[in-house]
């Protein structure tokens, strides 16, 4: 079983890039309203603003993709010998655990606890500009399976075209670095790989040597450098394709926003917070699979 799990990881790297568009948020201070309006009204307005931002940064779209990622991971695992009945159980458990009705309010809470009022205002103002709206649309489209598939098939061509324009290539690379795109993609991939591995380990009978969740988490973490190396050029190609309609001047404006205090709060701080949060769901998935097997008398 362990061998099968490890064998499915390589294909799962690309499936988990569906969440590449996630724009991070930082662990800062709780949002408080500076107005004189009642607290309930201010809280409702904060929630509405947070949901709007979650849409603009493609966070909601990315969360919606999680069940599809699990399905793709299961296809890889079944190709390497996973029993169909176990795959079905993992699939059902995944839809139960990664339910958007649960994920959305928790992600919103993280957002509102992570960004200061000034940061929220800065990003709301940015995404209400024509450039901000173009970037939002591009990021949402970039999170789709169609876009991911296109970039996978055409990455060498995209990189060759980008290399012909050294100024644009350097600017795209700066945007990727400022937005922490590679690290965020790697962290999400590792979280989803952990979820898949733990679900399968949870299906194993208790026996000496069976890894604990912490041991498995450490094992996946050891692959971070290798995953980052594998994904860095692909992420650059993805960014080049998604932002191909932006001019040099517009890319410079986006880079300035990304490097601003609000931008660094958005992109740098949230990575660890989100990784810790999504890893908790990996553990829940394994628990759900284990409980499902017990109900089946396995």
């Amino acid at each position: 079983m362990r061998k099968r799990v490890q064998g499915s990881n390589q294909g799962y790297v690309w499936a988990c890039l569906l969440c590449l568009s996630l724009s991070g948020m930082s662990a800062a201070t709780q949002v408080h309203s500076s107005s004189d309006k009642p607290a309930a009204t201010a809280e409702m307005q904060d929630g509405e603003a947070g949901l709007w931002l979650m849409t603009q940064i493609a966070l909601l779209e990315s969360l919606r993709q999680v069940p599809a990622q699990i399905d793709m991971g299961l296809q890889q695992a079944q190709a390497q010998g996973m029993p169909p009945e176990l795959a079905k159980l993992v699939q059902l458990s995944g839809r139960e655990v990664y339910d958007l009705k649960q994920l959305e309010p928790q992600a919103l809470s993280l957002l509102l606890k992570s960004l200061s009022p000034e940061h929220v205002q800065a990003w709301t103002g940015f995404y209400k500009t024509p450039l901000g709206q173009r970037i939002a649309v591009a990021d949402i489209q970039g999170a789709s399976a169609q876009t991911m598939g296109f970039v996978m098939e055409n990455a060498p061509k995209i990189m060759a075209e980008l290399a012909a324009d050294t100024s644009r290539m350097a600017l795209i690379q700066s945007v990727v670095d400022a937005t922490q795109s590679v690290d965020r993609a790697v962290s999400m991939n590792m979280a989803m790989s952990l979820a898949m591995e733990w679900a399968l380990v949870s299906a194993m009978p208790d026996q000496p040597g069976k890894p604990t969740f912490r041991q498995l988490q450490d094992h996946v973490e050891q692959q971070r450098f290798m995953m980052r190396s594998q994904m860095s050029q692909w992420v650059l190609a993805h960014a080049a394709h998604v932002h191909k309609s932006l001019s040099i001047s517009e890319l410079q404006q986006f880079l300035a926003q990304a490097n601003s205090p609000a931008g660094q709060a958005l992109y740098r701080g949230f990575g660890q917070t989100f990784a810790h949060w999504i890893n908790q769901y990996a553990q829940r998935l394994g628990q759900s699979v284990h409980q499902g097997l017990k109900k089946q008398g396995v």
Side-chain angles (χ1 to χ4, degrees), residues 67-118:
Q69 294 172 24
I70 292 176
D71 290 348
M72 295 175 71
L74 288 172
Q75 291 176 9
Q76 293 284 335
Q78 287 187 85
Q80 304 206 14
M82 178 193 286
E85 59 275 13
L86 177 57
K88 184 64 175 180
L89 176 58
V90 174
Q91 183 184 55
L92 293 175
S93 296
R95 276 159 173 69
E96 176 184 343
V97 172
Y98 293 97
D99 181 4
L100 188 63
K101 292 179 180 179
Q102 299 181 45
L103 296 177
E104 180 181 310
Q106 292 187 34
L108 175 60
S109 179
L110 285 178
L111 174 64
L112 295 180
K113 289 178 180 178
S114 297
L115 294 179
S116 70
E118 292 77 16

Side-chain angles (χ1 to χ4, degrees), residues 33 35 37 40-50:
S33 174
S35 69
K37 296 181 179 181
T41 302
E43 184 177 349
M44 181 179 68
Q45 291 177 342
D46 289 343
E48 291 174 350

Side-chain angles (χ1 to χ4, degrees), residues 12-25:
Y12 210 62
V13 166
W14 307 117
C16 291
L17 276 168
L18 290 169
C19 285
L20 178 62
S21 302
L22 279 174
S23 298
M25 286 68 73

Side-chain angles (χ1 to χ4, degrees), residues 127-286:
Y127 277 118
K128 286 185 177 180
T129 65
L131 175 59
Q133 279 297 290
R134 289 177 61 195
I135 290 174
V137 171
D139 283 345
I140 292 171
Q141 293 176 343
S144 70
Q146 291 82 359
T147 298
M148 292 299 170
F150 177 85
V151 176
M152 283 184 219
E153 294 178 4
N154 296 277
K157 180 181 178 181
I158 294 172
M159 287 302 298
E161 293 174 351
L162 185 61
D165 188 342
T166 55
S167 297
R168 187 176 186 85
M169 184 173 185
L171 194 51
I172 292 289
Q173 182 66 67
S174 295
V175 169
V176 167
D177 293 341
T179 56
Q180 298 288 292
S181 295
V182 176
D183 289 327
R184 287 186 290 110
V186 170
S187 292
M188 190 61 194
N189 174 77
M190 292 175 64
M192 298 307 297
S193 294
L194 177 63
M196 181 64 66
E197 291 207 34
W198 183 240
L200 300 186
V201 169
S202 298
M204 297 168 58
D206 293 331
Q207 56 187 357
K210 180 179 178 179
T212 65
F213 180 76
R214 181 57 184 271
Q215 290 172 331
L216 194 59
Q217 192 172 22
D218 290 343
H219 168 74
V220 173
E221 180 63 32
Q222 291 172 6
Q223 302 175 41
R224 179 177 293 274
F225 178 79
M226 179 184 67
M227 289 184 182
R228 198 181 195 287
S229 176
Q230 291 174 341
M231 297 172 72
S232 58
Q233 287 297 304
W234 195 95
V235 172
L236 183 61
H238 178 271
H241 176 71
V242 169
H243 299 307
K244 64 182 179 181
S245 66
L246 299 184
S247 67
I248 292 295
S249 174
E250 289 172 330
L251 284 171
Q252 290 172 336
Q253 293 178 57
F254 183 32
L255 180 60
Q257 176 71 14
N259 280 323
S260 69
Q264 290 305 285
L266 183 70
Y267 293 122
R268 286 190 178 275
F270 181 74
Q272 293 182 353
T273 302
F274 183 85
H276 176 72
W277 174 64
I278 207 70
N279 279 348
Q280 293 177 347
Y281 277 87
Q283 192 168 19
R284 293 178 192 178
L285 178 61

